[in-house]
Every structure is written in structure tokens, then in C-alpha cells.
Amino acid sequence: MNASLLRPYRKNLTTHGLIYLAGEEQPITIKNISITGVLAQLNSKVGKNDIKDIFNTLLSSTVIDLYLPEMRLAGEVEVIRVDMQDDHILLALEFKNVTYDVNDLLYKRKAYRKNLPGPGHILFNGEYLEFNSVNVSVDGIMIRLAKTVHVEPEVVTVFEFKRLELEGEIKVIWLEHLPDGETLMGLQYVHMEKLAIKGIPHFAWPQRA
């Protein structure tokens, strides 16, 4: 069998975007793309110290954020290979958790996400439901619920996320019902507070009028 048939189809193209790497937003140029990932070049030339910082960052986590405005694509990718070419770094990136046809305005906030799994609770239809977080940013959190939940976007409710010791009001921005009966949900912070002192019950918000 021709070995090339086993490889994902790749298309050469030039488009520009951003990644969040080594604590900074880095402009990139995409060299080619396939159904599984992209080959990206950092636009800025790098020195030995820059290379060291990047490799140290990848030692702690190989998953980074990617945003390609021209392709309306954003999400998380994994760095699976790093090469040098003409004083530029080339990154082979594999799609991990990517959204297509994203709203450009959403990503002009420059709020990057971090994988941060952990349990929490959220109130819907008079019932506190347990969720597991997928990732978090300075603006909100993506969660997964183990059941099909029917709520309308823009609904404001309350939640608790113990891993970051946060509780407060949060708004439903989008939701997706998954084939396995679970619900994936994107939430935006409205009013946040640190959790109360240990030993004091949580979810003691005053009732709205």
C-alpha cells in the first residue's frame, strides 16, 4: 500500500494567526493544514534564550491555544514537533479541542484558556447539578454535565468551582448536547467571589426578588 495514503491530506496555504506560548501572544504564519493539524511558523526570529524559554514552557504543558481569524478557527492544539528553519521556529500542531466558524469578536478579548479539570456545581431549574470543568479563562469556564440540560443562552445562574475557590453568578453563552447524552456548556463570569471560609456552607446566596 502506498504509505502516502495513510497520512492525512495536507494543503499548502499561507494564513496568519496567534498562539499563546511562553506566557505571551505569538503571531504565527500557517504553512500547511490537514484534518488533524497545522504546521505553524513563529513570525519573530528567535535567539538562544527565546528557544530555551519555549522549550521550558513545553516541558510543563504541550497544549497551547490557537486562533486563526481568517479561517474562523480557535481552540486548543498540542505541540507534537518543534524544528528550526532560518532563525524561525516551526511548530507541528495537532488539533485537540477546536471550534470552527467562531465569532471573531469573542477572540478579540485576547483571553486565553487553560486546561483545568475539576468538579463543581451549578444551579439550573431549581436543582444543583454537578459538572466537570474542561478549561477556564479570565472571562469564563467551559464545563461538561453528565446529563442533557435544556437552558437558553443568556440565562444567568449561580455556580461553585472548588479548584479555584470561586463562586458567584455566571451567564450561559452557548451549549451543545453531545451524542452520549452529556451537555457541553460555555459560561461567562458575571459576579465572582472567593469561597467562604472552610466549614461555612456554600451555595448560601440570597434569593432574588
Side-chain angles (χ1 to χ4, degrees), residues 11 13-17 30 32-34 37-38 66-74 95 98-102 104:
K11 177 178 176 61
L13 85 163
T14 300
T15 188
H16 302 280
I30 301 300
N32 63 53
I33 188 169
S34 74
V38 297
L66 169 75
Y67 175 41
L68 304 179
E70 296 172 15
M71 301 184 67
R72 299 180 63 81
L73 180 153
F95 298 139
V98 174
T99 300
Y100 298 91
D101 198 30
V102 295
D104 180 62

Side-chain angles (χ1 to χ4, degrees), residues 164-177:
L164 291 182
E165 297 185 343
L166 291 176
E167 66 177 16
E169 296 181 331
I170 204 158
K171 181 192 293 184
V172 177
I173 301 299
W174 58 265
L175 71 158
E176 178 182 352
H177 295 132

Side-chain angles (χ1 to χ4, degrees), residues 23-159:
E24 295 182 0
E25 185 180 81
Q26 307 272 3
I28 58 172
T29 299
I30 301 300
K31 296 297 186 179
N32 63 53
I33 188 169
S34 74
I35 59 173
T36 58
V38 297
L39 179 64
Q41 175 187 284
L42 294 185
N43 289 353
S44 59
K45 292 185 177 181
V46 293
K48 290 183 179 180
N49 290 335
D50 299 313
I51 297 172
K52 184 178 179 180
D53 289 342
I54 289 173
F55 274 93
N56 286 339
T57 298
L58 295 176
L59 285 176
S60 61
S61 176
T62 57
V63 177
I64 61 176
D65 276 345
L66 169 75
Y67 175 41
L68 304 179
E70 296 172 15
M71 301 184 67
R72 299 180 63 81
L73 180 153
E76 294 172 333
V77 292
E78 183 171 8
V79 180
I80 59 174
R81 192 177 73 253
V82 181
D83 294 318
M84 285 291 298
Q85 185 179 80
D86 300 328
D87 296 325
H88 287 81
I89 287 183
L90 291 176
L91 302 170
L93 307 175
E94 182 178 284
F95 298 139
K96 285 297 180 183
N97 187 13
V98 174
T99 300
Y100 298 91
D101 198 30
V102 295
N103 182 351
D104 180 62
L105 294 176
L106 178 65
Y107 284 86
K108 286 183 178 178
R109 302 176 311 187
K110 303 188 185 304
Y112 292 93
R113 296 170 300 165
K114 176 180 176 61
N115 281 329
L116 196 68
H121 293 86
I122 190 166
L123 178 65
F124 286 125
N125 303 319
E127 178 184 5
Y128 288 114
L129 304 178
E130 184 172 343
F131 67 77
N132 282 299
S133 62
V134 178
N135 57 57
V136 300
S137 76
V138 296
D139 284 340
I141 181 171
M142 182 191 300
I143 65 172
R144 184 186 297 267
L145 298 111
K147 60 187 293 185
T148 300
V149 179
H150 296 282
V151 295
E152 294 295 326
E154 302 299 316
V155 164
V156 175
T157 186
V158 292
F159 90 122

